């Protein structure tokens, strides 16, 4: 029976040593490809299933990595998580993906649960403004990689996008089109990346009409649609949204009010999600490398276990993608 099969039986069938089987299971990169194939074929043939708890008792790192994002229902975080999964696949890791919905108490609970599972590491988009608990998790021996968050002076690895630049790109684009009365659609509780976008916009346009939604994921689109009336009442000529999901909701709300985009109001999103180019009108947005963010975070996490590892930051640059939802201000 498969439950009674051990590594010795796998080694006998594959014609290799027990230590080679162990290396294929825990450090496949150091085993020759043809040998890995023979061992994997033997595992499949006899139905061997490694005992995760026993492997950890022998000092083999857990294959489980925790991915803690703000909202897995958001296609942005889903694509980032896909990059994390692909980046960890070659190391034989399984990604346990969780959402905090921007709630610090949920983040704290998830961190405790993941540590109890002795995960290999945690990749996290922080919801809590204080990094103290993340530093404590790292100090206790569980590697932590910050996702979509700058390293700053923290003793952690980080992968980030220059979100302040992204906000500036959106603002400069609208100013070049002649817009001066610009609104920003954000939330009462903005995560760090969104706060930095807001500041970048301020650098580009000075003061703007600050519209806040009291909302947590996954109801962001509905909240943005409901905010359309408040925005129209302020009489802006353009709106920058905290992300594409909010922009989609706002477009729905404006359509219900009979407001034309871009003839009456120009709209800019952020993220460049797949649906952005298929909207009518197609959405002008700030693009960031979602999948590459996840890949880079996975590589940093794997590097945590290598000799001589030093904490570092990988920084990406956003790009403005101009489509049909923005137009020059009519005089």
């Amino acid at each position: 029976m498969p439950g009674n099969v051990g590594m010795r039986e796998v080694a006998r069938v594959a014609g290799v040593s027990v230590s080679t089987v162990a290396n294929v299971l825990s450090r496949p990169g150091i085993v020759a490809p043809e040998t890995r194939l023979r061992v994997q074929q033997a595992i499949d043939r006899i139905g061997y299933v490694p005992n995760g708890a026993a492997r950890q008792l022998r000092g083999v790192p857990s294959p489980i990595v925790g991915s803690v994002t703000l909202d897995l229902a958001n296609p942005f975080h889903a694509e980032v998580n896909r990059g994390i999964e692909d980046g960890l696949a070659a190391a034989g890791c399984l990604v346990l993906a969780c959402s905090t919905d921007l709630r610090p108490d949920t983040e704290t609970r998830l961190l405790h649960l993941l540590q109890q599972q002795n995960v290999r590491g945690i990749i996290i988009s922080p919801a809590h403004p204080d990094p103290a608990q993340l530093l404590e998790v790292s100090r206790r021996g569980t590697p932590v990689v910050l996702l979509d968050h700058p390293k700053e002076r923290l003793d952690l690895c980080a992968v980030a996008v220059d979100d302040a630049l992204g906000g500036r790109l959106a603002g400069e684009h609208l100013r070049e089109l002649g817009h001066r009365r610009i609104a920003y659609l954000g939330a009462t509780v903005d995560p760090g990346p969104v706060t930095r976008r807001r500041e970048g916009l301020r650098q580009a346009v000075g003061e703007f009409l600050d519209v806040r939604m009291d909302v947590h994921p996954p109801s962001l689109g509905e909240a943005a649609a409901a905010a359309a009336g408040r925005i129209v009442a302020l009489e802006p000529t353009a709106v920058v949204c905290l992300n594409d999901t909010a922009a989609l909701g706002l477009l729905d709300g404006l359509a219900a009010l009979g407001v034309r985009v871009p003839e009456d109001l120009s709209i800019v999103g952020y993220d460049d999600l797949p649906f952005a180019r298929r909207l009518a009108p197609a959405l002008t947005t700030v693009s960031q490398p979602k999948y590459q963010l996840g890949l880079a975070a996975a590589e940093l996490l794997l590097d945590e276990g290598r000799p001589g590892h030093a904490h570092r930051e990988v920084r990406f640059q956003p790009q403005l993608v101009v489509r049909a939802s923005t137009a020059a201000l009519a005089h």
Side-chain angles (χ1 to χ4, degrees):
M1 295 292 293
N4 297 323
V5 172
M7 284 198 294
R8 292 185 183 279
E9 181 66 10
V10 175
R12 184 189 67 77
V13 172
V16 299
S17 67
V18 173
S19 62
T20 297
V21 176
N23 284 334
V24 169
L25 294 172
S26 60
R27 296 185 296 169
I30 69 172
V31 182
E34 59 272 16
T35 304
R36 287 205 310 268
L37 178 61
R38 288 212 316 277
V39 171
Q40 188 58 56
Q41 289 174 336
I43 289 172
D44 295 339
R45 176 180 170 187
I46 66 178
Y48 172 67
V49 178
N51 186 314
R55 292 175 68 198
Q56 290 189 51
L57 287 174
R58 294 195 301 270
V60 178
S62 168
I64 300 175
V65 172
S67 171
V68 183
T69 57
L70 300 176
D71 177 20
L72 279 174
N74 186 324
F76 168 79
H77 294 292
E79 190 168 345
V80 170
N81 210 65
R82 183 75 228 203
I84 292 173
E85 288 183 321
D86 289 352
L88 293 172
C93 292
L94 171 69
V95 177
L96 180 58
C98 318
S99 295
T100 63
D101 289 344
L102 291 175
R103 300 182 187 277
D105 58 333
T106 300
E107 178 178 295
T108 299
R109 178 176 60 83
L110 290 173
L111 288 173
H112 286 161
L113 289 171
L114 290 170
Q115 290 176 88
Q116 289 170 13
Q117 299 305 311
N118 295 316
V119 294
R120 179 166 179 165
I122 298 172
I123 298 172
I124 182 169
S125 298
H128 203 296
D130 185 354
Q133 66 177 348
L134 298 179
L135 293 169
E136 181 62 18
V137 170
S138 176
R139 187 190 66 78
R140 290 175 179 171
T142 301
V144 174
V145 174
L146 298 173
L147 178 65
D148 206 16
H149 190 289
K151 183 180 185 301
E152 297 173 332
R153 296 185 179 181
L154 298 176
D155 191 23
L156 299 170
C157 281
V159 180
V161 176
D162 190 342
D163 284 294
L165 172 60
R168 290 199 303 274
L169 290 173
E172 290 167 357
H173 170 63
L174 292 174
R175 286 188 65 86
E176 289 171 359
L177 293 174
H179 295 279
R180 296 296 180 268
R181 192 167 176 81
I182 298 169
Y184 182 81
L185 180 60
T188 52
V189 179
D190 277 338
V194 177
T195 299
R196 291 185 286 275
R197 292 169 203 171
R198 185 192 302 271
E199 290 309 308
L201 176 65
R202 193 180 304 279
Q203 293 168 16
V205 305
E207 293 303 311
F208 52 80
L209 304 168
D210 201 348
V211 180
R212 307 267 183 146
M213 299 175 289
D214 187 10
V215 61
H216 282 286
S219 58
L220 178 58
E222 291 82 354
R230 283 195 291 139
I231 290 175
V232 171
L234 295 173
E235 299 184 343
T237 63
V239 183
V240 177
C241 299
L242 68 105
N243 61 23
D244 287 352
T245 301
L248 174 59
L250 179 60
L251 286 170
D252 286 343
L254 293 173
L257 295 173
V259 177
R260 300 170 302 165
V261 176
E263 293 86 352
D264 302 325
L265 195 60
S266 286
I267 304 295
V268 180
Y270 202 105
D271 287 339
D272 195 21
L273 297 178
F275 64 73
R277 66 178 65 89
R278 296 195 292 268
L279 294 175
L283 183 65
T284 294
T285 186
V286 177
S287 176
Q288 52 179 336
K290 300 163 281 295
Y291 183 81
Q292 288 75 14
L293 274 170
L295 280 178
E299 176 56 34
L300 287 177
L301 184 70
L302 293 174
D303 194 57
E304 289 271 356
R306 295 168 183 152
H309 170 78
H311 293 317
R312 60 191 178 92
E313 177 183 280
V314 177
R315 179 71 68 96
F316 292 95
Q317 300 297 306
Q319 294 182 326
L320 179 71
V321 180
V322 178
R323 297 193 179 102
S325 68
T326 52
L329 180 65
H331 294 288

